[in-house]
Amino acid sequence: NLQLDTHSTLADDLLPLLAQAHARIATDPDLADLAQQPHLEPFVEMLTQDWDREMVRESPAALAFHAYLHNTTEAVLADDMALAYDMAIELKSVFIIKMAVLALQGAFGDADIIQGGVDRTLLEAAVQTADWLVSRFGAVDAVPYGDLKTTRFDHALGYGIPLGDIPSDGGEDTINVGQDIATDPDADTWFSSHVSVERIVVQFDEAGVPQALVNFPFSAHADPDSDDSADAMSDYINGGYQLMPFQRTDV
């Protein structure tokens, strides 16, 4: 198996800002009221200290971060895109999310985008997310990402063919990608259909013959119920690869 890259670069951008904002609660009178929020500290500690920033199925922090990312984005941009925000976030989430993170990083200078201030915006979105996790699941770290986040393979073998959902790694910004994840806080499934169609890793040997490792969901003859499809899907989800034959003798 090859390691599938699930590291969140958006977490690298956003979580240091959250940690700084949380550290200022003790010294900034304008943030003092947030010290009374019971779920804020364990939420921030989980994301900024304990988590490796990998968007993987077994990680409760990945679930928490994904929800936090969307809550923060809405807090930053929804009031500035009153007529277009819902459509934009559904059309291509990662573009809107990156705009929000850039605004929090100060990339737009004096533009009046974050009216409540960066620290309060980050912390109030954290409180919102933490309270939702506790209300729905009982704790901020109770449920792993894969309990909600799936890849939906419907229509992959032809329009109108339902093929179901499979828990999967990856987020909006990871190389092992799952974009435009339907993030309804009340839904039983957060699904993405915008994933890699196939993966291929190629090098050439000394004789110039390609050596290609590949994986893709289902199998070459597109029978979703076959053993070959089960093996191919396992490889696709878990990072297994098969050597593609190029020599006539291998074929």
Side-chain angles (χ1 to χ4, degrees):
N1 284 21
L2 298 177
Q3 179 66 43
L4 298 176
D5 192 335
T6 56
H7 187 81
S8 173
T9 56
L10 285 169
D12 291 341
D13 292 336
L14 191 60
L15 294 183
L17 299 178
L18 175 60
Q20 292 167 14
H22 187 255
R24 292 188 186 109
I25 290 177
T27 57
D28 187 342
D30 292 335
L31 302 175
D33 59 300
L34 294 168
Q36 307 305 315
Q37 298 294 330
H39 310 308
L40 178 59
E41 185 167 347
F43 177 83
V44 173
E45 182 176 331
M46 175 178 66
L47 288 188
T48 64
Q49 299 180 35
D50 301 338
W51 185 36
D52 59 6
R53 303 180 185 175
E54 298 291 328
M55 299 297 290
V56 293
R57 284 162 284 169
E58 61 269 20
S59 172
L63 171 64
F65 178 71
H66 182 77
Y68 178 61
L69 197 57
H70 277 259
N71 287 336
T72 303
T73 300
E74 183 174 2
V76 172
L77 291 179
D79 59 337
D80 299 294
M81 304 172 61
L83 299 178
Y85 180 80
D86 288 343
M87 180 178 66
I89 201 72
E90 291 177 9
L91 182 64
K92 186 52 67 179
S93 300
V94 70
F95 291 164
I96 307 304
I97 291 168
K98 286 180 177 179
M99 288 173 58
V101 173
L102 285 168
L104 290 163
Q105 292 175 318
F108 304 125
D110 295 331
D112 188 21
I113 297 174
I114 308 173
Q115 291 81 13
V118 170
D119 288 350
R120 177 163 288 276
T121 297
L122 288 164
L123 293 168
E124 288 185 345
V127 169
Q128 176 188 2
T129 309
D131 287 351
W132 169 75
L133 288 166
V134 173
S135 174
R136 180 163 180 187
F137 302 115
V140 296
D141 59 353
V143 173
Y145 188 44
D147 276 21
L148 266 71
K149 192 267 179 178
T150 68
T151 294
R152 179 161 292 177
F153 290 97
D154 290 2
H155 318 305
L157 300 180
Y159 186 74
I161 300 176
L163 295 167
D165 299 347
I166 296 179
S168 55
D169 299 336
E172 300 282 0
D173 62 323
T174 57
I175 292 176
N176 182 27
V177 70
Q179 285 189 347
D180 305 331
I181 302 168
T183 311
D184 180 346
D186 298 320
D188 293 330
T189 298
W190 291 352
F191 70 89
S192 172
S193 298
H194 295 161
V195 297
S196 54
V197 176
E198 65 179 40
R199 307 185 186 101
I200 183 167
V201 182
V202 180
Q203 63 180 4
F204 294 87
D205 67 16
E206 293 180 356
V209 177
Q211 295 177 330
L213 295 168
V214 298
N215 74 24
F216 47 87
F218 305 109
S219 59
H221 57 275
D223 176 1
D225 297 321
S226 70
D227 291 341
D228 286 344
S229 278
D231 291 341
M233 186 64 75
S234 178
D235 283 348
Y236 181 82
I237 294 294
N238 297 307
Y241 284 76
Q242 302 297 322
L243 187 65
M244 181 182 291
F246 283 93
Q247 300 282 17
R248 184 177 297 276
T249 54
D250 296 332
V251 174

